[in-house]
Amino acid sequence: PLLNLFVRFSCLSYHQVLSLNVCMSGSATSCEECLLIHPSCAWCAEEDFGRVGTLFSRCDLSQNLIYRGCEAQFIEHPRSVSSILKNTPLSSKSSGSTQHDVIQIQPQKISLSLRPGDPTTFEVQVRPVEDYPVDLYYLMDLSLSMKDDLDTIRNLGTKLAEEMKKLTSNFRLGFGTFVDKNMSPFSYTAPKYQENPCNGYKPFPKCIPSFGFRNLLSLTDKVDRFNEEVQKQMVSRNRDAPEGGFDAILQAAVCKERIGWRKEAYHLLVFATDDVPHLALDGKLAGLVQPHDGQCHLNDKNEYSASTKMDYPSLALLGEKLAESNIFLIFAVTKRHYVLYKNFTALIPGTTVEILDQSSKNIIQLIVTAYNNIRSKVELSVWDHPEDLSLAFTAICQDGQPLPGLRKCADLKIGDTVSFNVSIDAQNCPPQGTQKSFTIKPVGFKDRLEVVVDYRCSCGCTRLTQANSSRCSSVGIYACGTCRCEPGYRGAHCECGEGEVGTANLAACREADGKQVCSGRGECTCNQCWCFESEFGKIYGTFCECDDFSCARHKGILCSGHGDCHCGECKCHAGYIGDNCDCSTETAACVSEDGRMCSGRGSCVCGRCQCTEPGAFGDTCEKCPTCPDACATKRECIECHLFNTGKFTDNDTCQRMCKDEIIIKESLMLCLYKTENDCVMKFTYSEHASGQSVLTALKEPECAAAPDAATVLLAVVGSILLVGIMLLAIWKLVITIHDRREFANFQSARSRARYEMASNPLYKQPISTQPVETVFQMHGKSYNGGVH
């Protein structure tokens, strides 16, 4: 029943799956080639798979193969699988002094069989146990600037042991010192400084020669010996500021037996200094060109014997050796160098940094704090990671939330269990029989998970390969349902000889002269076209000339989803037209609520309104705030809703045609019209962001009272009289101003005439020097009377 249900589902989704199919695009000719195309691809090894006229691809999605008739037992579809080989439960507490049976990671060994491209996931759990043994090695800078610090730690062993007993019942302590390479330019090498580098240095005239590293006390539970060794130490003096501390760290990490690191214990290495370290390549200043070899070089005196022979170690080498020895490195440095060493912690896994006070007064609290920080974190690391495998981690910490891409959990308490989902994927197929392995381990833990990997790149049906099989007419190799014919033979069963597929016979597979055999989309076998399978759809026809996918599309959908593709042409379903069947002939969606096509503001094209009126929008162009008739179109709704008048007086019509919300306002002015009673109705029309129309109208229309005739007559007569009086007043004012101006001119003219006749200072009265009679006689006349 489940298989039948699966087949029915496949029938429904076959064409959809086929359009996304990548399995047939690779033209795989064998089962192994098919498996390499994509992890979803499967191969049908059934001998009689397919139907006449079609070359069914045996490489396809498994559901497609079942749909096309391949029985499930013949389908080759290997998947990536994992199996746990060792799965001892996690411990909750340390179980004694040996610690051999303490388990902090689960599982411990796992086997993976990977198909390329098909990732598989497994879970890893980690739980730090209580009361786990601790080995602490104190590595101290003995340069001259650390003299006060040396005095401070002379009783460190006893005090530190007391504090650490609160955290673990099994604690051991060791002690080592360093300065720098005893060679120029790092140290004073002149003869007078060979025994006493402080010779002539007044602040501190006596010190010991510089050295690379000395293991003064291997790890021991006798903490009094630590105090004794510290009491014996004296500081030294080097020339440059950087110290040779990284030489010392490497030797403390790789000389496991000499230092005394236990396998079943936390390894803490405290590095105390007040300056920066020398790094790789600094040794070239002294002529040291040989890189560090990462090996232990402690002599019989427990001193670093290769200090003057090899360069300083690199950060990469340092991180590798610390991880191999499961050592947590604690940088105890002064505040001014904190940032530098903090940057080192990002490059060296399992490393923390704490600020060291002047004279190392806080060293005990520093170590306890650093230890608690280390114990509160779990971080996974991968060792011997094969290049062709990709790993992805997802951390699930104490809150239970998945954190993709992370392989670390913090803020844990002792006894908390955290888990990590590890997804692994193979990138390719190595030679058959190849097996690889790698290790996953928490940083600083001895516990580890061993992962063994093999590859699933072959098909089970290849074990049944038959040479010169009768299924292949005894001239081919039968493997996984197909025949690989010998040269000179063709056909699904190698049934056609080379002479039977000559040019004359190939003509039967051409649609016309000059065209390709089987239209280039099939194989001519024994004078008949066998059409290829396509990832896009079905190829068919006598000459494979037709298909059901080479038709016009709309928005990427074949025939717009409203038609069927037949031999390159869309056959549209009822109600659709066009080359790609994207045009609907239905107009119902274009009719607006008022019964008009596109509200009279556009045309219906392919079942949708195309608005032609500027400012119109909406499915039926019903919205148009800027149209000149926007108010008029809403008038009938105001009439029917508020006054039960107008064209929509009938209640059903009003409810059907007027679905807009009407808001009544006391004062409003935007749209207005005259009612049947010659009143004025005012309302507004607006569009909300939701697209709904909102009408806001006055509660009552404004109706003016009829005017009184006598009042109007008196108002008109009064207005005429008032205008006449005003005109007369204006005329009188103008005449008065004119007369006054003329009189003023007259007065001015008369004043000037009087001045000329009576008071001209240049005028003199004429005077005569002869009598008047003489004058008249001279003219021949005599006048006895006066002058006339």
Side-chain angles (χ1 to χ4, degrees):
L2 290 177
L3 180 59
N4 294 334
L5 178 63
F6 178 71
V7 172
R8 286 198 297 270
F9 170 78
S10 301
C11 295
L12 292 174
S13 60
Y14 171 69
H15 290 290
Q16 181 180 2
V17 172
L18 193 62
S19 63
L20 303 174
N21 197 342
V22 297
C23 302
M24 292 186 294
S25 62
S27 301
T29 59
S30 68
C31 184
E32 285 74 14
E33 290 179 5
C34 177
L35 299 185
L36 289 175
I37 294 176
H38 193 270
S40 64
C41 297
W43 178 269
C44 179
E46 188 173 359
E47 180 180 358
D48 297 325
F49 176 67
R51 62 175 181 261
V52 177
T54 302
L55 283 176
F56 261 161
S57 174
R58 293 179 177 271
C59 184
D60 202 343
L61 303 176
S62 58
Q63 60 263 38
N64 291 350
L65 294 176
I66 292 176
Y67 168 73
R68 299 203 312 251
C70 185
E71 295 186 17
Q73 60 181 337
F74 293 107
I75 294 179
E76 295 282 346
H77 189 208
R79 302 299 302 270
S80 296
V81 295
S82 61
S83 58
I84 298 176
L85 304 180
K86 185 178 181 181
N87 194 30
T88 305
L90 294 170
S91 303
S92 59
K93 189 175 181 180
S94 177
S95 58
S97 58
T98 60
Q99 315 301 327
H100 290 296
D101 52 352
V102 175
I103 304 298
Q104 299 183 94
I105 187 171
Q106 183 185 10
Q108 295 80 42
K109 188 172 183 179
I110 192 170
S111 174
L112 303 177
S113 293
L114 301 179
R115 176 180 175 180
D118 182 27
T120 187
T121 302
F122 57 89
E123 184 184 38
V124 179
Q125 291 186 329
V126 181
R127 179 194 296 162
V129 301
E130 299 180 32
D131 195 26
Y132 201 67
V134 176
D135 288 348
L136 189 150
Y137 193 80
Y138 192 86
L139 185 58
M140 183 176 180
D141 177 6
L142 278 191
S143 59
L144 190 58
S145 58
M146 293 287 287
K147 181 181 182 305
D148 294 340
D149 302 79
L150 181 61
D151 295 336
T152 301
I153 69 165
R154 294 193 185 279
N155 296 315
L156 173 66
T158 303
K159 296 178 181 179
L160 183 59
E162 292 175 357
E163 291 295 325
M164 292 302 294
K165 283 181 180 179
K166 300 177 183 178
L167 304 174
T168 177
S169 61
N170 195 336
F171 175 69
R172 297 200 309 168
L173 186 61
F175 182 54
T177 58
F178 67 91
V179 183
D180 206 344
K181 296 182 184 295
N182 191 14
M183 57 193 308
S184 182
F186 311 124
S187 299
Y188 293 94
T189 57
K192 66 176 183 177
Y193 296 124
Q194 288 184 356
E195 298 297 328
N196 181 16
C198 297
N199 188 8
Y201 184 62
K202 293 182 180 180
F204 197 80
K206 180 64 176 177
C207 59
I208 62 175
S210 61
F211 55 91
F213 165 67
R214 288 175 182 169
N215 174 31
L216 300 174
L217 178 66
S218 298
L219 291 162
T220 178
D221 55 1
K222 298 179 175 59
V223 295
D224 291 340
R225 292 192 55 193
F226 181 91
N227 297 338
E228 294 173 4
E229 290 297 332
V230 173
Q231 296 287 344
K232 299 177 185 177
Q233 303 310 309
M234 292 181 61
V235 294
S236 181
R237 183 187 180 200
N238 58 328
R239 172 172 288 177
D240 61 348
E243 319 291 4
F246 280 10
D247 267 342
I249 292 175
L250 186 66
Q251 292 303 299
V254 298
C255 300
K256 302 176 185 179
E257 292 77 14
R258 304 290 288 274
I259 302 298
W261 298 113
R262 293 176 292 180
K263 290 184 178 180
E264 295 79 22
Y266 279 116
H267 301 161
L268 305 183
L269 177 57
V270 180
F271 179 78
T273 183
D274 64 348
D275 222 317
V276 299
H278 277 297
L279 301 175
L281 302 182
D282 284 356
K284 289 187 176 182
L285 296 173
L288 299 178
V289 296
Q290 181 180 350
H292 205 292
D293 60 4
Q295 302 299 316
C296 178
H297 294 282
L298 292 184
N299 58 22
D300 294 339
K301 298 180 180 180
N302 275 333
E303 293 185 359
Y304 178 36
S305 59
S307 177
T308 59
K309 299 177 182 178
M310 291 186 294
D311 192 9
Y312 298 98
S314 65
L315 288 173
L317 180 61
L318 204 61
E320 178 185 343
K321 296 304 178 181
L322 287 170
E324 285 181 359
S325 300
N326 304 320
I327 294 176
F328 291 106
L329 177 61
I330 303 172
F331 287 125
V333 300
T334 53
K335 187 174 182 179
R336 66 192 182 104
H337 297 303
Y338 176 83
V339 174
L340 173 67
Y341 283 91
K342 184 66 175 177
N343 293 334
F344 286 158
T345 63
L347 303 173
I348 306 175
T351 305
T352 60
V353 59
E354 301 289 343
I355 296 178
L356 184 67
D357 288 348
Q358 294 295 330
S359 303
S360 299
K361 295 179 182 179
N362 68 328
I363 186 64
I364 294 179
Q365 186 58 42
L366 182 152
I367 293 173
V368 172
T369 301
Y371 174 74
N372 288 330
N373 288 338
I374 291 170
R375 292 281 281 161
S376 68
K377 294 186 296 186
V378 170
E379 181 178 4
L380 297 185
S381 61
V382 181
W383 288 80
D384 303 322
H385 181 189
E387 294 183 357
D388 66 328
L389 300 180
S390 61
L391 276 71
F393 290 82
T394 298
I396 304 175
C397 302
Q398 61 271 32
D399 59 357
Q401 297 298 320
L403 302 171
L406 294 183
R407 60 172 77 179
K408 179 170 69 174
C409 288
D411 300 324
L412 304 177
K413 297 178 181 178
I414 300 299
D416 283 350
T417 302
V418 294
S419 61
F420 301 87
N421 289 332
V422 185
S423 177
I424 181 169
D425 186 16
Q427 304 301 315
N428 50 52
C429 278
Q432 189 171 359
T434 299
Q435 190 177 78
K436 298 181 180 181
S437 64
F438 62 93
T439 301
I440 297 176
K441 63 189 295 291
V443 174
F445 287 55
K446 73 173 181 67
D447 304 77
R448 64 189 62 207
L449 166 62
E450 183 182 356
V451 183
V452 181
V453 180
D454 59 37
Y455 298 82
R456 307 192 71 179
C457 297
S458 59
C459 300
C461 57
T462 56
R463 296 191 297 268
L464 303 176
T465 300
Q466 299 176 4
N468 298 323
S469 172
S470 58
R471 297 171 178 172
C472 304
S473 304
S474 301
V475 289
I477 299 174
Y478 179 81
C480 296
T482 63
C483 287
R484 295 199 297 270
C485 303
E486 295 180 1
Y489 295 91
R490 298 186 63 180
H493 301 284
C494 307
E495 68 273 23
C496 296
E498 188 170 319
E500 299 177 52
V501 293
T503 304
N505 292 308
L506 289 178
C509 295
R510 300 181 192 271
E511 187 175 6
D513 292 339
K515 289 198 172 185
Q516 289 182 297
V517 174
C518 298
S519 303
R521 303 195 295 180
E523 180 180 301
C524 185
T525 302
C526 302
N527 301 328
Q528 181 181 0
C529 282
W530 289 71
C531 302
F532 297 137
E533 277 279 322
S534 172
E535 60 179 312
F536 303 109
K538 177 183 177 183
I539 300 174
Y540 60 95
T542 305
F543 305 100
C544 303
E545 72 278 10
C546 292
D547 61 59
D548 61 359
F549 54 83
S550 297
C551 291
R553 297 172 182 263
H554 178 66
K555 295 183 178 179
I557 302 176
L558 189 68
C559 297
S560 306
H562 302 302
D564 298 318
C565 182
H566 291 286
C567 209
E569 181 180 354
C570 284
K571 302 296 183 182
C572 300
H573 298 161
Y576 291 91
I577 58 174
D579 293 340
N580 53 11
C581 304
D582 65 331
C583 186
S584 173
T585 59
E586 181 63 48
T587 60
C590 297
V591 179
S592 59
E593 293 179 349
D594 58 5
R596 293 184 296 171
M597 189 68 67
C598 298
S599 303
R601 301 190 183 108
S603 56
C604 188
V605 178
C606 294
R608 301 185 66 181
C609 281
Q610 292 187 356
C611 304
T612 56
E613 181 76 23
F617 65 97
D619 292 339
T620 58
C621 307
E622 73 279 8
K623 300 176 177 61
C624 187
T626 61
C627 291
D629 62 343
C631 291
T633 55
K634 301 300 178 179
R635 167 180 172 174
E636 300 298 338
C637 293
I638 294 292
E639 289 281 354
C640 75
H641 271 298
L642 297 186
F643 313 114
N644 197 28
T645 59
K647 292 193 302 182
F648 300 156
T649 303
D650 178 65
N651 188 54
D652 292 339
T653 305
C654 189
Q655 294 296 330
R656 178 172 53 85
M657 302 300 296
C658 301
K659 298 180 180 179
D660 298 322
E661 177 186 4
I662 299 178
I663 301 174
I664 298 175
K665 298 287 184 179
E666 295 294 336
S667 177
L668 188 64
M669 188 67 169
L670 182 58
C671 299
L672 55 89
Y673 65 92
K674 269 191 176 183
T675 65
E676 295 175 349
N677 300 326
D678 289 330
C679 297
V680 177
M681 188 63 194
K682 301 175 182 178
F683 67 95
T684 61
Y685 165 53
S686 60
E687 299 287 341
H688 275 180
S690 62
Q692 183 182 17
S693 300
V694 177
L695 302 179
T696 305
L698 290 175
K699 187 175 182 180
E700 295 290 341
E702 297 177 356
C703 299
D708 183 59
T711 303
V712 173
L713 180 60
L714 290 175
V716 172
V717 172
S719 299
I720 294 173
L721 290 176
L722 180 60
V723 171
I725 292 172
M726 290 179 63
L727 290 175
L728 287 174
I730 294 172
W731 176 81
K732 180 64 177 176
L733 178 62
V734 172
I735 293 300
T736 301
I737 293 173
H738 180 269
D739 289 347
R740 287 182 179 179
R741 184 179 297 147
E742 289 297 323
F743 181 74
N745 292 338
F746 169 75
Q747 289 288 81
S748 176
R750 192 174 72 170
S751 175
R752 287 197 300 273
R754 189 168 51 247
Y755 167 78
E756 292 173 358
M757 296 299 297
S759 59
N760 189 350
L762 298 179
Y763 175 77
K764 291 183 178 182
Q765 194 71 17
I767 302 173
S768 176
T769 59
Q770 296 179 0
V772 175
E773 295 86 353
T774 305
V775 176
F776 282 107
Q777 289 176 357
M778 289 177 65
H779 287 83
K781 296 179 179 180
S782 176
Y783 296 90
N784 292 324
V787 179
H788 296 277

